Amino acid sequence: MTSDQTIIELLNQILKVSAIQAASGKSITEGARLLKCAGLDNQTIADVLNTSTGTVRSLTANLRSRKGKR
């Protein structure tokens, strides 16, 4: 593994820890919405919330439609 790859992997781990802290104490729905608004991808959100990407997609789908209506 190159040093760039190592740095990227460590940053990904830090991101996940921060995401877990941000979603702590929140419902899966609120956690998914919060993390999606923070710019995380569905796979990362699913990993953090211990759920499937399909669930994350369902829970966050209306965020796009809400943004368009504003």
Side-chain angles (χ1 to χ4, degrees):
M1 190 181 288
T2 68
S3 62
D4 286 347
Q5 291 170 323
T6 302
I7 291 169
I8 290 170
E9 182 60 32
L10 291 171
L11 287 172
N12 282 328
Q13 289 173 355
I14 292 168
L15 172 68
K16 286 183 181 181
V17 169
S18 293
I20 290 167
Q21 290 175 335
S24 178
K26 295 183 177 27
S27 68
I28 290 178
T29 302
E30 287 304 309
R33 289 179 181 166
L34 172 72
L35 297 175
K36 190 65 161 186
C37 288
L40 273 66
D41 62 277
N42 288 350
Q43 184 62 57
T44 302
I45 295 169
D47 291 345
V48 166
L49 298 177
N50 196 31
T51 191
S52 69
T53 55
T55 298
V56 172
R57 190 171 36 257
S58 283
L59 294 173
T60 60
N62 63 350
L63 292 178
R64 289 185 293 275
S65 62
R66 283 184 188 175
K67 286 181 182 178
K69 292 179 183 179
R70 288 184 182 175

